[in-house]
Amino acid sequence: MQVQPELADVAPVERDPEPVPFARLDNAEPKLFAELMAAVERVARTGMFTGGEEVVAFERELAAYCGAEHTIGVSSGTEALALALRALEIGPGDEVVVPANSFIATAEAVTLVGATPRFADVDPTTETVTAETVAESLTPATRCLIPVHLRGRTVDLDPLLELARERDLRLVEDACQAHGAVYRGRRVGPIGDLGCFSFYPAKNLGAWGDGGAVVTDDGELAERLRLLRAHGELARHDHRIPGTTARLDAIQAALLRIKLRRLDAWNDRRREIAADLTAQLAGASVTPAAPVADGHDHVYHHFAVLSDERDLLRSRLTEAGIATGVHYPVPIHLTPAYSGLGYAKGDLPVAESLAARSCSLPIGPLQTDEETARVARAVRQFEAVRA
């Protein structure tokens, strides 16, 4: 039995004077910050905080960017997923297949509409579901698939869409980590029946609070979503269906309009940093993300590496002033929240292995080349003292 070494058993890693943050938000870029503050003031002066032209304009611009016929702004990525399922009339008695390694919101949305999540294992190289792993989780009660473009890497959608057609299933893209990613010439989101985005502040396209959107080419689904997000109102006090309060507010829409224009450049910078990190870690025992296959894309919401000594690696990087993260340390099927579904350790071995070994390194459009080199150097120093 291998014993995990104590930190004291390993020589200290050299620390640089300035820490490298895991991510930087908008207040770190003065010019952008000033433009965003001006947008907040513009909305505040109008007094139109719910709905209005800023929301309509953002929906129009995001639809054009994604190549979708419709965008429906909502209050969060979780609500985007839940409302998408409600629009598809999925509920009690239905099952929805979701990945075991994703943020819990993918499964929560299924629970929120009264349906039951069925967890699928993932490919060990891409860390995303495949048609084969999803097929193993199908039952006669399955009505929908929610593949996740995890960390910004595109899922191989074509085989999943074919599987959905064969089994008469709906497909909702969870694109909450993949703003702007392209799959076989199309932006992710409207490729399935519905596509969902989150605008949590740390996302590639982030607001200054919670926000989300659903994109689709289906006009009937779009109209139902517009009703669902605002109490089922077609007009004031004209309630056509039971809905909820899940609107995107005008301030967030105004901020997102500004940032959407920068998204492609930011994603390009993330790809550059990822390429540099991958090159500088070549031959290391940690395993960076696999190369992107033809027709696929990766916008690197996270840059994850795999290490058999993940926790020790993180501790040593912290000592070196390098912030890290873990996404996600417990696969969803093993969380207490879903213990009642009867899954056990070992049921989905790839997702479980990834959860135990994954470590996210800093990445973001404001990260400098020197900071990237420091991250790689700290990993190399860890390996040198472990050798």
Side-chain angles (χ1 to χ4, degrees), residues 26 36 205-206 255-263 266:
D26 302 324
L36 295 171
L205 180 63
L255 298 172
L256 290 164
R257 292 182 68 195
I258 293 169
K259 299 176 77 172
L260 180 60
R261 297 193 288 268
R262 293 167 165 82
L263 179 58
W266 287 341

Side-chain angles (χ1 to χ4, degrees), residues 223-299:
E223 186 57 31
R224 183 168 173 81
L225 282 159
R226 293 187 184 101
L227 293 173
L228 287 168
R229 71 175 173 181
H231 304 292
E233 279 190 329
L234 184 62
R236 187 65 172 161
H237 301 306
D238 181 7
H239 302 276
R240 298 302 178 95
I241 60 174
T244 187
T245 303
R247 298 176 291 252
L248 178 67
D249 73 68
I251 287 178
Q252 305 302 345
L255 298 172
L256 290 164
R257 292 182 68 195
I258 293 169
K259 299 176 77 172
L260 180 60
R261 297 193 288 268
R262 293 167 165 82
L263 179 58
D264 283 344
W266 287 341
N267 283 344
D268 284 344
R269 178 59 183 152
R270 287 175 178 270
R271 293 186 188 99
E272 290 176 0
I273 294 168
D276 286 347
L277 275 172
T278 299
Q280 293 180 53
L281 293 176
S285 64
V286 301
T287 307
V292 177
D294 289 345
H296 287 253
D297 193 7
H298 202 323
V299 293

Side-chain angles (χ1 to χ4, degrees), residues 34-54:
E35 189 175 352
L36 295 171
M37 288 298 293
V40 172
E41 182 177 0
R42 183 178 71 246
V43 174
R45 289 187 181 281
T46 70
M48 182 63 74
F49 297 110
T50 303
E53 177 54 32
E54 293 290 353

Side-chain angles (χ1 to χ4, degrees), residues 18 24 87 141 180 205 254 373:
E18 294 295 326
R24 289 186 174 88
L205 180 63

